[in-house]
Amino acid sequence: MERGISLERAITLVEMEKTELSLERVNIGKVFGRILGNGLESKVDDPRFDNSAMDGWAVRKEDCSLAEKTSLEIVGTSQAGSSITPTIGPGQACKIMTGAKIPVGANAIVMIEDSEMDGKNVIISGPARDSYIRHKGENLLKGKEALSIGNFMNAASISLAATMGHESIEVFRKPVIGIISTGDELVKPGSEIKDWEIYESNSFGIAALVQKMGGEPICYEVVTDSLDRLRESLNHAAKNCDAIITSGGVSMGDWDIVRKLMELEGEIIFWRVDMRPGGPPIFGKWNNIPIFGLPGNPVSSHVVFSMLVCPWFSASFGTSENQNPSLGKKVRVKMLDNVKGAKGKLCLRRIRITSGQNGLVATTHTHQGSGNIKSMTAHNGLTLLPPGDNASIGEIIDAFWFS
Ligand code: AMP
Ligand code: MG
């Protein structure tokens, strides 16, 4: 077991415990947010045939001079979805709609705005451009890969998969994450609350973070501070999940049962990371399943998830940093407030990042305590202040910007 390690070292150890994810076939109407499990080849050329990028007239460029207006004989219409391809000869034009096939003999398009009707003729008063023709296969070639393995299926990728003719695609199965909150003081939001109790909140936030990272959360019943209850819950979760996340009970207190049970019966890979907030996380295995023991303070659990659990998802999906799914990205910001760092620890103060005139700027608001979850809603980023560093007004520092 390693103890009191840097965040970089902790991430390396977490990534080594990535999970293997099998593939499943999902209809493209339901793949938003999923990760592509195989490279995807196009079933068709795109465009499928030479077609017009404009509503206008298909013409022969050599018939149209810019110096004077040209009168061309209208020979028909080319319409998107029509199986007929008209033909034009010298001195002739064919009306054409966006996306319609280019008539045989035509090599340029005149925009409808640059024309005027004159009985059976059309008077051309603007340029005839070949650049208004979209050529067969210029975007996609049949049989060629256009989306690669590990691609995050966002709106554009879904449209592209459909353009390529795929009704369903193979994506990585969602990792199933068991979430267990611990603490005698916790009660469900909405239930009656006694003077010494608080509403349990971490499992809900963590479940949302899991979903954002492309996982499937299962929230188990809150476990009271009892080793037997925790053991039972962990054994159950380990049978059904790819990883387990607990909240609370990882510090030095007498009732810190996650740490105690892990010491007695689990496999601890590391305990404590040199970061603030979120110093006491524990990582290891329970019945051979990775287990993240997050601190109970609500801000700490969010921050540790963002810094430590996210890399486990990325490693399991085979996606790299700054690729989706992610909770945000590393940026450089100019501080508009002073921020105090932490001796010997990476300091993750909550900051609000906005765009300034010369790049991103950051301010701080609200109390920064790790029990104050409101500080996470009042801010949208974290400082990444190296151990011992403070940041003064005007300084440019590394930060994490939540998306
Ligand atoms: P612990 O890590 O168990 O010592 O808890 C640290 C602090 O976080 C205590 O004030 C707890 O009451 C609080 N806390 C622990 N778990 C949760 C939870 N699931 N939801 C909200 N607050 C919690
Ligand atoms: Mg506790």
Side-chain angles (χ1 to χ4, degrees):
M1 155 174 137
E2 299 188 29
R3 197 176 161 145
I5 58 176
S6 69
L7 180 60
E8 289 73 43
R9 175 69 187 149
I11 289 172
T12 304
L13 293 171
V14 159
E15 286 174 342
M16 280 162 64
E17 300 305 328
K18 68 180 181 186
T19 198
E20 287 286 321
L21 294 169
S22 54
L23 302 182
E24 62 186 7
R25 189 160 276 283
V26 177
N27 187 283
I28 58 160
K30 296 224 156 71
V31 294
F32 180 67
R34 303 298 294 271
I35 309 295
L36 192 60
N38 270 321
L40 211 56
E41 291 173 3
S42 185
K43 294 185 175 190
V44 289
D45 291 320
D46 178 61
R48 299 218 43 236
F49 40 83
D50 290 359
N51 69 74
S52 178
M54 301 283 171
D55 290 326
W57 300 94
V59 298
R60 289 155 32 99
K61 196 170 183 173
E62 50 274 36
D63 288 347
C64 304
S65 114
L66 266 183
E68 52 198 271
K69 292 185 176 180
T70 314
S71 179
L72 300 173
E73 180 198 353
I74 301 168
V75 293
T77 300
S78 183
Q79 204 175 325
S82 162
S83 58
I84 302 154
T85 312
T87 302
I88 65 165
Q92 294 181 328
C94 176
K95 197 166 199 185
I96 194 161
M97 309 302 156
T98 303
K101 273 188 173 180
I102 301 297
V104 177
N107 58 13
I109 304 291
V110 174
M111 288 200 309
I112 199 88
E113 293 86 340
D114 292 334
S115 70
E116 214 177 295
M117 297 296 285
D118 178 23
K120 289 183 173 167
N121 280 27
V122 58
I123 314 286
I124 302 296
S125 55
R129 294 196 200 279
D130 44 16
S131 60
Y132 292 159
I133 295 177
R134 307 191 283 211
H135 292 283
K136 175 178 172 158
E138 69 182 11
N139 302 328
L140 295 171
L141 285 175
K142 184 175 176 176
K144 266 200 111 181
E145 182 177 302
L147 282 173
S148 44
I149 182 169
N151 182 83
F152 177 79
M153 294 307 293
N154 60 14
S157 315
I158 293 169
S159 285
L160 177 54
T163 301
M164 295 195 284
H166 295 279
E167 186 201 18
S168 62
I169 60 173
E170 286 201 304
V171 293
F172 286 111
R173 176 178 70 76
K174 289 184 180 188
V176 177
I177 312 297
I179 301 169
I180 304 168
S181 279
T182 69
D184 285 348
E185 72 279 33
L186 307 174
V187 296
K188 256 195 195 150
S191 51
E192 228 175 86
I193 194 159
K194 305 198 179 74
D195 284 353
W196 55 90
E197 292 174 334
I198 63 167
Y199 290 126
E200 195 280 312
S201 61
N202 289 348
S203 68
F204 299 96
I206 293 167
L209 292 167
V210 164
Q211 287 176 68
K212 187 139 194 233
M213 285 308 294
E216 181 84 41
I218 302 181
C219 290
Y220 292 99
E221 285 283 301
V222 170
V223 166
T224 51
D225 291 324
S226 134
L227 289 177
D228 289 340
R229 285 282 294 106
L230 180 62
R231 183 189 301 110
E232 200 182 308
S233 186
L234 290 180
N235 284 342
H236 181 60
K239 283 198 197 116
N240 303 304
C241 303
D242 295 291
I244 301 169
I245 298 178
T246 62
S247 132
V250 288
S251 298
M252 291 297 282
D254 289 349
W255 300 107
D256 284 330
I257 54 157
V258 175
R259 175 187 53 79
K260 271 196 182 162
L261 191 65
M262 284 298 287
E263 275 170 2
L264 293 170
E265 300 171 27
E267 182 195 332
I268 301 180
I269 295 172
F270 65 78
W271 180 44
R272 306 192 74 90
V273 176
D274 293 333
M275 61 195 277
R276 179 177 291 161
I282 210 162
F283 177 67
K285 288 193 178 179
W286 184 268
N287 293 353
N288 228 19
I289 299 296
I291 171 167
F292 295 86
L294 307 189
N297 274 311
V299 175
S300 306
S301 72
H302 278 245
V303 169
V304 174
F305 186 102
S306 308
M307 295 296 131
L308 212 53
V309 188
C310 283
W312 180 86
F313 279 91
S314 303
S316 300
F317 283 130
T319 51
S320 57
E321 202 191 354
N322 286 339
Q323 230 185 331
N324 279 314
S326 78
L327 298 185
K329 59 179 175 209
K330 210 171 149 178
V331 290
R332 299 276 290 165
V333 297
K334 185 176 178 176
M335 290 308 304
L336 298 185
D337 286 319
N338 290 320
V339 172
K340 221 171 152 253
K343 202 174 155 203
K345 287 172 188 212
L346 175 76
C347 187
L348 305 138
R349 299 263 181 228
R350 270 71 72 214
I351 49 176
R352 188 183 297 161
I353 302 175
T354 51
S355 19
Q357 278 189 335
N358 300 309
L360 300 174
V361 294
T363 48
T364 59
H365 312 261
T366 78
H367 174 54
Q368 290 270 338
S370 59
N372 180 18
I373 191 65
K374 192 160 174 256
S375 71
M376 291 293 288
T377 63
H379 297 92
N380 61 2
L382 300 169
T383 62
L384 295 172
L385 273 180
D389 276 12
N390 297 314
S392 329
I393 293 174
E395 224 174 292
I396 294 173
I397 63 162
D398 283 336
F400 187 80
W401 194 6
F402 291 109
S403 51

